[in-house]
Amino acid sequence: MWYTKAPGHITPAVDISEGRASAEGELILPIFEGEEIISKMLTRDPSVRHAFSPNIFDSPLERMFYELAFLDLHIYPQHPVGKYRLDFAIPDKRIAIELDGHEYHKTKYQRTHDAKRDRWLYGQGWTVLRFTGTEIHQNLDHCLDEICTLVGIERVSKSNRAP
């Protein structure tokens, strides 16, 4: 599957080199067009995987979450809000999605920092959804269902993974 980037210049529908960040730090992805690419995305065809720069995501958990969530949600990874950087955001709905891996979020200091951060975001009109690494690994579909319900959209895809 290909798309036209400029007259006489065609580009693969999934072109890793086209992934980049805007001046505001928002991730800009390649354009997906045509029924074939949509079918592959909905069936989670492994040929349609994104190999992003390791600097975009802070953890393998975030990378895995994004690769599956982007089928249903228009989310922005590493989205800045004030002095904070959210793991993922849906800015137009003011929804922050935080993934708490055990290693980084196990200390009392980090849990206190997260609580203060959540209160500040709430004061700015944001809703913060926190998911543990265990929740993501054991039942990602349930996590995505919860986010989609809050956003008010219907899920397009469901993984074939058991809960």
Side-chain angles (χ1 to χ4, degrees), residues 29-45:
L29 298 174
I31 298 170
F32 300 105
E33 293 184 2
E35 292 177 20
E36 180 183 348
I37 193 72
I38 292 169
S39 174
K40 284 184 177 187
M41 290 167 60
L42 292 177
T43 60
R44 298 180 186 274
D45 185 316

Side-chain angles (χ1 to χ4, degrees), residues 34 49-50 89 123 137:
R49 304 278 307 217
H50 299 283
H137 285 294

Side-chain angles (χ1 to χ4, degrees), residues 26-89:
E26 295 177 339
L27 182 63
I28 300 171
L29 298 174
I31 298 170
F32 300 105
E33 293 184 2
E35 292 177 20
E36 180 183 348
I37 193 72
I38 292 169
S39 174
K40 284 184 177 187
M41 290 167 60
L42 292 177
T43 60
R44 298 180 186 274
D45 185 316
S47 68
V48 186
R49 304 278 307 217
H50 299 283
F52 292 110
S53 158
N55 296 331
I56 293 176
F57 298 107
D58 287 340
S59 71
L61 181 67
E62 289 178 12
R63 180 188 303 262
M64 180 194 77
F65 176 83
Y66 183 78
E67 287 181 355
L68 299 175
F70 89 98
L71 295 172
D72 295 302
L73 298 162
H74 189 79
I75 58 176
Y76 295 86
Q78 308 303 318
H79 185 75
V81 176
K83 66 180 183 176
Y84 299 110
R85 187 182 68 185
L86 307 175
D87 289 342
F88 299 96

